[in-house]
């Protein structure tokens, strides 16, 4: 017991808070995981998307089989193996993405999203959970902390989607609108505009600390 405690305190002593110079804002995106304020999309790799499509196909076959039959059991094993593969691929991808962000930036700003509530309210269902945003943000959090860097969460009610990142004006943005065009002349991809707003709000919070 004592040995473990001493390691922990040693470890905690090593972490020096880094001065925040480089900052990125991330906007959660259904298909890409996120769009950043650098206008970078996380984009799930093709092999992962192909694997998801294969899994859906095998699950359809399973649903057509008679539950409890030997063919159903066989198919259930096929589905379980694929599910495990998909989960591992996603985990590796999320580790890889969170690591590259933690190396490149001193602070990462995200919205404090309630994924469960979102998937229920918007009926996104599985896709939001499969997206792995929660897993991704916890990986990001500890990878940043290890280097004395920070993950900053802004209020989930902050109007990142409605606001123009150039002039600060606000307007309603239905989900179908993919481009934010403002009367000030600014025309941006919807998620990129949100990511810029998230970054700016993070900067404001940091300035007020």
């Amino acid at each position: 017991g004592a040995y473990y405690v001493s390691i922990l305190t040693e470890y905690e002593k090593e972490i020096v808070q880094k001065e925040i110079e480089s900052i990125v804002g991330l906007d959660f995106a259904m298909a890409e995981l996120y769009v950043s304020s650098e206008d970078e999309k996380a984009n799930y790799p093709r092999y992962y998307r192909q694997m998801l499509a294969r899994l859906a196909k095998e699950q359809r076959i399973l649903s057509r089989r008679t539950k409890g039959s030997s063919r159903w059991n066989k198919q259930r094993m096929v589905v379980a193996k694929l599910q495990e593969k998909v989960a591992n691929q996603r985990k590796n991808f999320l580790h890889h993405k969170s690591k590259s962000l933690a190396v490149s930036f001193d602070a990462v700003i995200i919205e404090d999203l309630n994924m469960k509530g979102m998937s229920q309210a918007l009926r996104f269902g599985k896709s939001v959970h499969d997206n792995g945003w929660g897993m991704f943000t916890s990986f990001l959090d500890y990878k940043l902390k290890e280097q004395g860097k920070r993950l900053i969460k802004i209020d989930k009610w902050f109007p990142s989607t409605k606001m123009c990142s150039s002039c600060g004006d606000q307007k309603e943005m239905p989900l179908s609108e993919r481009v934010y065009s403002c009367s000030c002349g600014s025309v941006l991809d919807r998620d990129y505009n949100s990511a810029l707003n998230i970054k700016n709000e993070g900067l404001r919070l940091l300035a007020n600390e």
Side-chain angles (χ1 to χ4, degrees), residues 34-86:
Y34 66 75
V35 173
S36 81
S37 54
E38 307 285 301
D39 204 7
E40 187 238 344
K41 291 181 163 78
N43 273 336
Y44 276 105
R46 248 184 76 202
Y47 64 78
Y48 173 76
R49 291 184 189 275
Q50 285 165 344
M51 195 63 105
L52 277 180
R54 233 183 96 195
L55 176 60
K57 193 182 128 201
E58 297 296 351
Q59 280 171 327
R60 279 197 298 276
I61 295 171
L62 179 66
S63 69
R64 290 200 292 267
R65 301 257 153 104
T66 313
K67 200 170 178 178
S69 68
S70 62
R71 289 180 74 211
W72 180 81
N73 270 316
K74 224 174 171 171
Q75 186 62 18
R76 199 175 53 117
M77 292 306 291
V78 171
V79 167
K81 274 205 174 106
L82 268 176
Q83 278 172 331
E84 195 182 347
K85 250 187 171 159
V86 163

Side-chain angles (χ1 to χ4, degrees), residues 182-196:
C182 182
S183 52
C184 76
S186 174
V187 179
L188 290 175
D189 168 82
R190 171 202 184 99
D191 297 331
Y192 176 41
N193 178 63
S194 287
L196 288 169

Side-chain angles (χ1 to χ4, degrees), residues 19-200:
E19 197 184 329
I20 296 175
E21 283 156 17
S22 54
I23 292 176
V24 69
L26 304 183
D27 180 51
F28 164 74
M30 280 299 296
E32 285 90 25
L33 182 68
Y34 66 75
V35 173
S36 81
S37 54
E38 307 285 301
D39 204 7
E40 187 238 344
K41 291 181 163 78
N43 273 336
Y44 276 105
R46 248 184 76 202
Y47 64 78
Y48 173 76
R49 291 184 189 275
Q50 285 165 344
M51 195 63 105
L52 277 180
R54 233 183 96 195
L55 176 60
K57 193 182 128 201
E58 297 296 351
Q59 280 171 327
R60 279 197 298 276
I61 295 171
L62 179 66
S63 69
R64 290 200 292 267
R65 301 257 153 104
T66 313
K67 200 170 178 178
S69 68
S70 62
R71 289 180 74 211
W72 180 81
N73 270 316
K74 224 174 171 171
Q75 186 62 18
R76 199 175 53 117
M77 292 306 291
V78 171
V79 167
K81 274 205 174 106
L82 268 176
Q83 278 172 331
E84 195 182 347
K85 250 187 171 159
V86 163
N88 286 334
Q89 281 186 346
R90 183 182 63 196
K91 204 171 175 180
N92 290 340
F93 173 71
L94 298 177
H95 266 302
H96 167 72
K97 275 293 162 194
S98 51
K99 186 180 177 185
S100 68
L101 283 165
V103 167
S104 310
F105 299 98
D106 304 327
V108 178
I109 322 294
I110 60 169
E111 284 177 300
D112 193 2
L113 298 174
N114 168 9
M115 298 315 286
K116 232 181 177 157
M118 253 175 80
S119 66
Q120 284 159 0
L122 299 167
R123 298 203 166 75
F124 283 151
K126 270 179 71 72
S127 49
V128 174
H129 296 303
D130 286 350
N131 183 294
W133 180 253
M135 191 188 283
F136 168 69
T137 53
S138 59
F139 286 170
L140 194 54
D141 194 22
Y142 83 74
K143 286 186 167 80
L144 286 162
K145 272 185 182 143
E146 270 181 345
Q147 302 177 63
K149 297 175 172 185
R150 290 172 63 185
L151 178 69
I152 296 164
K153 293 185 178 185
I154 66 167
D155 193 303
K156 63 169 175 280
W157 303 115
F158 175 73
S160 59
T161 312
K162 297 175 181 176
M163 199 192 308
C164 171
S165 55
S166 300
C167 73
D169 258 9
Q170 287 188 32
K171 65 170 191 172
E172 287 306 315
M173 279 293 285
L175 270 173
S176 55
E177 265 178 62
R178 300 314 305 161
V179 173
Y180 192 104
S181 55
C182 182
S183 52
C184 76
S186 174
V187 179
L188 290 175
D189 168 82
R190 171 202 184 99
D191 297 331
Y192 176 41
N193 178 63
S194 287
L196 288 169
N197 283 328
I198 289 166
K199 177 184 177 176
N200 292 336

